[in-house]
């Protein structure tokens, strides 16, 4: 009974938050000049370009798979390779809806630290790949069917319809996360998690980073699970490592990347996400 009650309240809280925040984001997106942002990415200094690439990643709330068409479009429009890679790494990790829900559920200290760490790593990795000329491993591809959203296109009705589409995608993962979280809350003793997965279990961080990629755990599923695990005493480090690796380099995304990147760049991409998630996990381990 306690488990069902926990599932109901976790699912209800997340559903309300996701609907309200997603609607607001979709409504505001109508006024974002995507074409102008891409044009500015092609000009200016590297630092300004990097920050703009992060902002672009933040205001385009895509999962790892749906980021790929935007990446191809940026490459077609001759956006610098380093800035394109910054966007590729940052976009699935800096979803504004997820960050807002994370702030409410896990606390703003954790959320701000998460955003800062993923932003810094995305910029460093993007510029490093450009420095070592990994753009030579980009295939010559032509993107079909992708059209950047036009400014002012969506109205209130359009925002509602887009919110429904997003919720259809997110809701199953939200329920899975709520179910797993409720199960852990009601069935797994706090003492077991605190003893075996607590702050001293540093070795879980690299394991969590490795496990995250093939599992493809959406951030919308991980947030309620993380909330319960943290409450029961699990260390923050492995939780964040799992979050970053699963969202940043999912197995479906890797398959899609193979269509636009040669194998050398795909492998470097995976290694970069594993490095980001592992080092980030140890940073959170020390918090």
């Amino acid at each position: 009974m306690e488990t069902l009650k926990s599932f109901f309240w976790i699912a209800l809280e997340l559903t309300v938050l996701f609907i309200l925040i997603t609607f607001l984001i979709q409504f505001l997106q109508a006024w974002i000049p995507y074409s102008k942002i891409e044009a500015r990415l092609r000009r200016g200094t590297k630092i300004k370009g990097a920050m703009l690439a992060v902002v672009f990643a933040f205001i385009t709330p895509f999962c790892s798979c749906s980021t790929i068409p935007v990446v191809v479009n940026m490459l077609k429009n001759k956006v610098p390779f380093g800035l394109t890679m910054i966007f590729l790494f940052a976009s699935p990790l800096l979803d504004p809806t997820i960050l807002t829900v994370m702030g409410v559920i896990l606390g703003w200290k954790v959320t701000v630290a998460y955003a800062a760490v993923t932003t810094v790593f995305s910029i460093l990795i993007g510029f490093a790949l450009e420095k070592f000329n990994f753009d030579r491993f980009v295939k010559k591809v032509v993107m079909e069917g992708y059209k950047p959203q036009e400014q002012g296109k969506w109205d209130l009705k359009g925002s509602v319809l887009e919110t429904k589409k997003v919720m259809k995608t997110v809701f199953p993962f939200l329920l899975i996360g709520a179910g797993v979280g409720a199960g852990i809350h009601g069935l797994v003793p706090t003492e077991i998690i605190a003893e075996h997965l607590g702050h001293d279990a540093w070795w879980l961080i690299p394991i969590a980073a490795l496990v995250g990629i093939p599992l493809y755990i959406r951030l919308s599923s991980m947030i309620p699970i993380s909330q319960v695990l943290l409450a029961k005493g699990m260390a923050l480090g492995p939780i964040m490592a799992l979050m970053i690796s699963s969202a940043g380099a999912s197995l479906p995304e890797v398959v899609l990347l193979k269509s636009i990147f040669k194998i050398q760049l795909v492998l470097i991409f995976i290694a970069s996400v594993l490095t980001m998630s592992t080092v980030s996990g140890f940073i959170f381990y020390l918090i």
Side-chain angles (χ1 to χ4, degrees), residues 182-250:
I184 294 172
H185 176 77
L187 302 176
V188 182
T190 301
E191 296 77 15
I192 292 178
I193 294 178
E195 180 180 353
H196 297 288
L197 304 177
H199 195 72
D200 293 331
W202 62 266
W203 48 270
L204 278 175
I205 294 172
I207 293 176
L210 283 169
V211 168
I213 292 177
L215 281 184
Y216 187 34
I217 304 175
R218 293 283 291 266
L219 284 177
S220 50
S221 297
M222 272 302 300
I223 289 175
I225 297 172
S226 302
Q227 180 188 19
V228 175
L229 289 172
L230 283 171
K232 283 183 170 287
M234 184 173 178
L236 182 61
I239 292 175
M240 286 300 171
L242 183 62
M243 272 190 175
I244 293 170
S245 66
S246 61
S250 66

Side-chain angles (χ1 to χ4, degrees), residues 145-163:
Y146 171 72
K147 294 182 179 179
Q149 185 177 301
E150 297 176 7
Q151 187 179 6
K153 181 180 179 181
W154 285 343
D155 55 10
L156 185 62
K157 182 179 179 181
S159 299
V160 171
L161 292 175
E162 287 299 320
T163 301

